[in-house]
Amino acid sequence: TASHTGDSVNEKRTLLKKYYGSNLKALDDNWAFPWKDTRLVSKINDALQHNRPFVIGTIGSSVIAGHDNCQYDSFQNQLERFLKPVFEAFGIGFEVRNAGEGGGCGDTYQNQIWCVRHMVGDDVDMIVYSWTYFEAGDREVSKWHEMFTRWVLLMERSPIPIILSMNGCNDH
């Protein structure tokens, strides 16, 4: 129902307010931006109209893989716990796929992007990329970010590319 949907969204917003405390600008910047993106709204609407789940894939280093962390607290599991009830309130399934690597198997931010469709599937709506710590000091990192973005947009559903950077780690 509409009221249940509103309750679920408001409940999540209340949790975010509690987490951010007095720093509501951070909350508004992080909460409002994605929902104003017409491409994201279109992808959510597409999932609803075609009765399929909204799928987010993640690629990157050990940080995105969840190493040195409880599986419960990994980025993907937190994202799924937080957003799945909101999507389900709208009647949409929600899934997050983790294709993070440790960086020790030869994968890097320069070569993992070419395998993204094989790692997360061609049916994703959004792909989150995070190689922040390995990119530090690379003055050409924007070139790799552009290649990631272009390659992702060529996929079947043309997923929304998201580059997740940790504060200040890519300062040159």
Side-chain angles (χ1 to χ4, degrees):
T1 66
S3 66
H4 176 67
T5 301
D7 291 347
S8 188
V9 171
N10 287 330
E11 176 185 312
K12 298 304 181 189
R13 187 165 172 79
T14 300
L15 285 172
L16 286 172
K17 280 184 179 180
K18 188 182 266 186
Y19 176 80
Y20 282 102
S22 63
N23 190 0
L24 293 180
K25 180 172 177 5
L27 170 62
D28 288 336
D29 289 349
N30 291 305
W31 179 263
F33 168 73
W35 303 107
K36 291 180 182 177
D37 184 331
T38 57
R39 198 153 171 250
L40 178 58
V41 170
S42 176
K43 291 208 169 280
I44 292 170
N45 191 32
D46 184 65
L48 182 61
Q49 287 179 352
H50 292 96
N51 195 28
R52 64 168 181 78
F54 186 86
V55 182
I56 297 176
T58 63
I59 67 168
S61 66
S62 57
V63 172
I64 207 75
H67 294 181
D68 298 326
N69 195 353
C70 299
Q71 183 63 24
Y72 181 82
D73 291 327
S74 71
F75 168 73
Q76 293 82 356
N77 286 343
Q78 289 187 52
L79 188 62
E80 198 164 272
R81 272 195 316 277
F82 191 77
L83 290 178
K84 192 171 190 168
V86 175
F87 277 80
E88 287 178 344
F90 284 97
I92 304 171
F94 184 81
E95 179 184 350
V96 182
R97 298 178 186 159
N98 185 350
E101 302 283 342
C105 63
D107 273 357
T108 70
Y109 60 95
Q110 296 174 352
N111 65 19
Q112 189 188 42
I113 55 178
W114 310 119
C115 302
V116 68
R117 71 176 7 133
H118 304 292
M119 297 175 79
V120 297
D122 216 15
D123 61 338
V124 294
D125 297 290
M126 179 183 291
I127 298 179
V128 177
Y129 161 109
S130 179
W131 276 94
T132 305
Y133 299 114
F134 289 88
E135 296 172 334
D138 183 345
R139 297 198 184 282
E140 294 186 339
V141 73
S142 60
K143 171 178 85 172
W144 298 106
H145 289 177
E146 180 179 354
M147 284 190 232
F148 161 73
T149 301
R150 288 176 181 269
W151 194 245
V152 164
L153 291 173
L154 290 172
M155 292 172 63
E156 184 179 319
R157 284 200 185 142
S158 188
I160 298 169
I162 304 288
I163 297 173
L164 181 64
S165 286
M166 305 305 155
N167 293 335
C169 288
N170 283 334
D171 292 345
H172 306 304

